[in-house]
């Protein structure tokens, strides 16, 4: 609008420049020009209007020419001048320049229509294109490939993480670090540091020798790395395909994938550029429910690919499934272990053992375990039976080792 006002000002420069710079003044002036240009300077508005005799014949000729050549849209001259169209409508009405013409053509063919300045995507095109993307995901996973989910916008973070974990794939949902794909060597060093911090803060090993302040500093460093790299720390290399939510926000990830010739499947909204996307899926990338649907479908396709891959390898999936077991009472420890009817003196704090919560400690007390020395005297089989009785058989050996250490320290 400012450009239109400047054009009108140049057309009447000298005696008849625009004197009112407010928005309402500009709109009234354009309305006046659109009406006067249709009838000429002899119109009643030109003779008695607020700018009568100020523009001159040359200015009216230029305004009339601008209307005829389309430089000033008649629609702009109407009352809808200051209406607020949607961001996609505004973007689609931009003048084309360079390769933007083909970009606009690609986007407009995905739009079914517009209602209340909101574009409606043609689902008749979305469904087959989504099916093609799902088939590509399934084929990639069936061949042993890895899928990387990328969605860092707030409404996509939870859905992306949940879908990737459910399908045994990988994800980035916090912030895409530049060079995550193209500089994988440096990213691998950061992942190694994250693993090191996990071991240091796990409660055993080197973590016990740090002060509280040092542990807090290490914990903050670990949390920061985990937010950015936690979803790809087990990936072990570059992905074979990436799935992207919101191509505008994740443009760096798409650029890196294109540089490494990694296929990209992405949800493309009407304000997005489909250039460089291998599998374009026209759809809404802003609604939370729509994003959850996309992620769920990609996760199911990945799971289907895993099943197909195991079937092609000759693995009997049915035989590998765990049979349904009958619900039995928790197995009691063997007769070689004799629990105590109660603690001897003050009971030890069993919650110091790794993985022991208040509920697990109560179960141990019900079995007659109150002291560290009781666990320290157990053999492997007996400790395993106690672990099964409380629901944590894999932690039993670690409890025995920790109990021996704590008993030695107490002595």
């Amino acid at each position: 609008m400012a450009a239109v006002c400047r054009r009108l000002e140049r057309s009447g420069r000298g005696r008849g420049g625009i004197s009112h710079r407010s928005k309402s003044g500009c709109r009234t002036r354009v309305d006046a020009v659109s009406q006067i240009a249709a009838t000429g300077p002899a119109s009643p508005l030109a003779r008695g209007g607020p700018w009568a005799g100020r523009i001159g014949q040359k200015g009216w000729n230029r305004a009339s020419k601008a209307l005829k050549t389309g430089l000033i849209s008649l629609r702009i001259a109407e009352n809808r001048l200051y209406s607020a169209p949607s961001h996609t409508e505004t973007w689609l009405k931009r003048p084309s320049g360079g390769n933007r013409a083909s970009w606009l053509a690609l986007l407009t063919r995905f739009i079914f229509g517009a209602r209340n300045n909101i574009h409606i995507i043609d689902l008749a095109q979305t469904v087959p294109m989504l099916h093609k993307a799902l088939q590509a995901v399934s084929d990639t996973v069936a061949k042993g490939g890895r899928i990387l989910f990328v969605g860092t916008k707030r409404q996509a973070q939870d859905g992306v993480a949940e879908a990737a974990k459910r399908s045994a794939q990988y994800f980035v949902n916090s912030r895409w670090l530049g060079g995550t794909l193209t500089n994988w060597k440096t990213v691998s060093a950061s992942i190694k540091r994250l693993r090191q911090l996990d071991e240091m803060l796990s409660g055993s090993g080197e973590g016990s020798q740090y002060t509280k302040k040092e542990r807090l500093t290490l914990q903050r460093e670990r949390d920061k790395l985990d937010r950015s790299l936690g979803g790809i720390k087990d990936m072990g290399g570059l992905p074979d395909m990436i799935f992207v939510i919101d191509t505008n926000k994740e443009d760096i990830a798409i650029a890196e994938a294109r540089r490494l010739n990694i296929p990209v499947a992405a949800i493309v909204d009407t304000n997005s550029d489909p250039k460089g996307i291998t599998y374009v899926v026209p759809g809404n990338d802003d609604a939370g429910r729509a994003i959850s649907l996309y992620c769920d479908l990609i996760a199911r396709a990945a799971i289907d690919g895993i099943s197909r891959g195991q079937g092609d390898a000759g693995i009997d999936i049915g035989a590998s499934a765990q049979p349904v077991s009958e619900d039995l009472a928790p197995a009691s420890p063997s007769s070689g272990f004799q629990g105590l009817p109660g603690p001897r003196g003050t009971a030890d704090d069993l919650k110091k053992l790794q993985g022991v919560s208040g509920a697990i400690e109560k179960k141990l007390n019900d079995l007659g375990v109150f002291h560290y020395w009781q666990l320290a005297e157990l053999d492997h089989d007996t400790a395993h039976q106690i672990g099964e009785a409380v629901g944590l058989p894999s932690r039993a050996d670690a409890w025995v080792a920790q109990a021996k250490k704590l008993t030695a320290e107490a002595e």
Side-chain angles (χ1 to χ4, degrees):
M1 187 58 222
V4 174
C5 292
R6 287 195 297 270
R7 188 183 299 275
L8 291 174
E9 185 176 5
R10 287 196 298 269
S11 67
R13 185 170 297 168
R15 294 181 59 232
I18 291 180
S19 58
H20 300 280
R21 296 304 184 100
S22 64
K23 290 184 178 180
S24 59
C26 290
R27 181 172 66 177
T28 306
R29 183 60 177 278
V30 177
D31 289 341
V33 172
S34 64
Q35 296 179 37
I36 295 173
T39 58
S43 66
L45 182 60
R47 292 194 303 268
W51 296 282
R54 292 175 60 90
I55 295 182
Q57 182 65 42
K58 188 175 182 181
W60 301 125
N61 292 340
R62 290 185 179 181
S64 179
K65 183 179 179 181
L67 282 169
K68 293 178 181 179
T69 57
L71 295 178
I72 303 176
S73 172
L74 283 173
R75 182 171 180 173
I76 292 180
E78 296 174 357
N79 291 333
R80 294 191 60 183
L81 177 65
Y82 292 107
S83 61
S86 63
H87 65 282
T88 40
E89 183 178 0
T90 303
W91 183 84
L92 286 171
K93 287 183 178 178
R94 290 180 183 175
S96 59
N99 61 354
R100 193 183 297 271
S102 60
W103 179 1
L104 288 172
L106 285 173
L107 287 178
T108 52
R109 69 187 180 94
F110 296 146
I111 300 175
F112 179 79
R115 183 177 182 182
N116 297 329
N117 292 333
I118 298 176
H119 281 116
I120 302 173
I121 296 175
D122 188 1
L123 296 183
Q125 300 184 58
T126 299
V127 172
M129 299 179 79
L130 177 60
H131 176 75
K132 185 178 179 181
L134 295 176
Q135 188 64 43
V137 170
S138 182
D139 293 342
T140 301
V141 177
K143 297 176 183 178
R146 297 176 287 252
I147 307 297
L148 177 61
F149 290 69
V150 181
T152 60
K153 62 196 308 182
R154 184 180 300 275
Q155 56 267 47
Q157 290 178 351
D158 295 337
V160 163
E162 191 274 334
K165 292 177 182 178
R166 180 159 56 90
S167 57
Q169 301 304 317
Y170 313 95
F171 65 93
V172 174
N173 68 340
S174 177
R175 184 173 73 90
W176 181 269
L177 300 178
T180 298
L181 299 180
T182 55
N183 195 12
W184 179 253
K185 184 177 180 180
T186 302
V187 173
S188 299
S190 299
I191 293 175
K192 184 178 180 181
R193 173 61 176 170
L194 175 60
R195 294 182 181 277
Q196 181 183 3
L197 292 172
D198 285 337
E199 295 178 0
M200 294 168 59
L201 299 172
S202 62
S204 61
E206 301 178 2
S208 58
Q209 65 184 359
Y210 293 104
T211 63
K212 184 176 181 180
K213 183 176 181 180
E214 291 173 336
R215 286 181 61 85
L216 183 60
T217 302
L218 294 175
Q219 183 66 41
R220 289 174 178 171
E221 181 184 359
R222 184 260 174 200
D223 292 343
K224 182 178 180 181
L225 289 174
D226 187 69
R227 281 193 299 270
S228 301
L229 305 175
I232 61 174
K233 67 178 181 181
D234 297 325
M235 191 161 62
L238 294 175
D240 298 279
M241 185 176 181
I242 67 173
F243 171 68
V244 177
I245 300 289
D246 195 341
T247 58
N248 289 337
K249 187 174 180 62
E250 315 303 341
D251 57 337
I252 299 178
I254 295 174
E256 293 186 18
R258 290 178 57 191
R259 183 174 181 181
L260 299 175
N261 296 322
I262 298 175
V264 179
I267 306 300
V268 178
D269 206 341
T270 55
N271 64 335
S272 302
D273 181 5
K275 183 179 179 181
I277 309 297
T278 312
Y279 302 98
V280 177
V281 181
N284 184 358
D285 61 5
D286 297 316
R289 289 190 298 176
I291 293 174
S292 299
L293 175 62
Y294 304 141
C295 294
D296 179 68
L297 293 174
I298 296 294
R300 292 186 182 186
I303 294 172
D304 177 71
I306 294 174
S307 301
R308 290 170 50 202
Q310 291 179 345
D312 294 341
I315 301 175
D316 188 354
I317 301 175
S320 64
Q322 293 292 334
V324 178
S325 58
E326 182 181 359
D327 293 336
L328 301 175
S332 59
S334 63
S335 58
F337 173 77
Q338 297 295 331
L340 299 178
R344 295 180 181 177
T346 303
D348 294 329
D349 185 7
L350 300 181
K351 292 192 294 296
K352 290 183 178 180
L353 301 177
Q354 184 178 2
V356 176
S357 61
I360 300 298
E361 183 182 34
K362 186 177 183 304
K363 291 182 179 180
L364 291 173
N365 293 339
D366 293 340
L367 295 174
V369 179
F370 299 94
H371 303 283
Y372 297 137
W373 60 264
Q374 291 178 272
L375 295 174
E377 295 176 355
L378 297 178
D379 56 19
H380 173 74
D381 294 336
T382 306
H384 188 74
Q385 291 179 3
I386 291 178
E388 287 184 342
V390 299
L392 295 173
S394 60
R395 297 292 181 93
D397 293 333
W399 291 345
V400 173
Q402 285 184 274
K404 290 181 180 179
K405 183 177 180 180
L406 293 171
T407 304
E409 292 177 356
E411 294 176 352

